Amino acid sequence: MTDEPITQQDEEGVEQDELGALQAERDELFDRLQRLAAEFDNFRKRAAREQGEVLKRANERLVKELLPVLDDLGRALDAAEEHQEAQLEEGVRLVHRSLASLLEREGLAEIETDGKFDPHVHEALLTQPSELEEGSVLEVIQKGYRLGDRVLRPARVVVSAALPAPPEEAA
């Protein structure tokens, strides 16, 4: 080793080299960040496009399965034009069965209305005095349905209320 003192020029040269290395590293990291941001943007756009395509295919499949129901309904209407009431009724029943079966395969289930009123799946439209236990479902105004574990439409029902107390006779 030499005992020569480090000059100011040498220090500035070392600092310039370090500064240049740091600037190069910064530029490289900035470039990587820009590339990563562009990749993420492309991924986001591709995922949105693929989700749209999946939704279209799902709707296409459902519509394709509904076509036989549409055909059955057309045949029922043709029978109605010929005034064949028995065939019309049978045609409408056929359409109803086909549609119910198709929706059942897709996970649709009717909400049970036997027994007690459940505010999670029933909508009380009226209360009516009855001899049944208070809170029992008396009548179904409109059926309710679930799709999987979600309630699509609550069952609209009439719920029993307590019978009014008989009037006391004045003594």
Side-chain angles (χ1 to χ4, degrees), residues 20-136:
L22 289 174
Q23 285 175 337
E25 184 180 359
R26 179 203 63 198
D27 292 344
E28 180 187 334
L29 289 174
F30 185 70
D31 184 54
R32 286 176 53 196
L33 177 64
Q34 284 182 318
R35 289 177 190 272
L36 187 61
E39 280 182 37
F40 179 73
D41 191 45
N42 290 339
F43 168 77
R44 191 176 44 80
K45 289 176 184 175
R46 185 176 58 248
R49 188 172 50 248
E50 288 172 357
Q51 184 180 14
E53 289 172 7
V54 165
L55 186 60
K56 269 198 257 183
R57 277 192 302 257
N59 288 340
E60 179 182 320
R61 185 183 59 79
L62 181 61
V63 168
K64 189 175 181 179
E65 288 190 37
L66 284 172
L67 287 177
V69 177
L70 185 64
D71 294 338
D72 291 343
L73 190 55
R75 285 190 284 276
L77 290 172
D78 289 342
E81 286 178 5
E82 298 174 13
H83 301 289
Q84 297 174 0
E85 287 80 17
Q87 287 183 352
L88 174 62
E89 181 181 348
E90 183 56 35
V92 172
R93 287 188 192 284
L94 176 66
V95 171
H96 184 267
R97 274 195 307 270
S98 297
L99 184 58
S101 172
L102 181 141
L103 293 173
E104 213 172 88
R105 286 193 308 271
E106 293 300 316
L108 188 74
E110 190 176 318
I111 292 175
E112 292 293 322
T113 54
D114 298 336
K116 294 288 271 179
F117 173 78
D118 180 355
H120 296 102
V121 294
H122 299 139
E123 181 180 335
L125 297 180
L126 299 168
T127 57
Q128 187 173 336
S130 170
E131 292 179 4
L132 292 176
E133 182 182 353
E134 188 173 357
S136 295

Side-chain angles (χ1 to χ4, degrees), residues 6-19:
I6 298 177
T7 63
Q8 189 175 4
Q9 241 181 359
D10 291 339
E11 280 182 26
E12 286 177 6
V14 170
E15 286 177 1
Q16 285 296 327
D17 289 343
E18 287 178 5
L19 182 61

Side-chain angles (χ1 to χ4, degrees), residues 129 162-168:
L163 287 173
E168 293 182 25

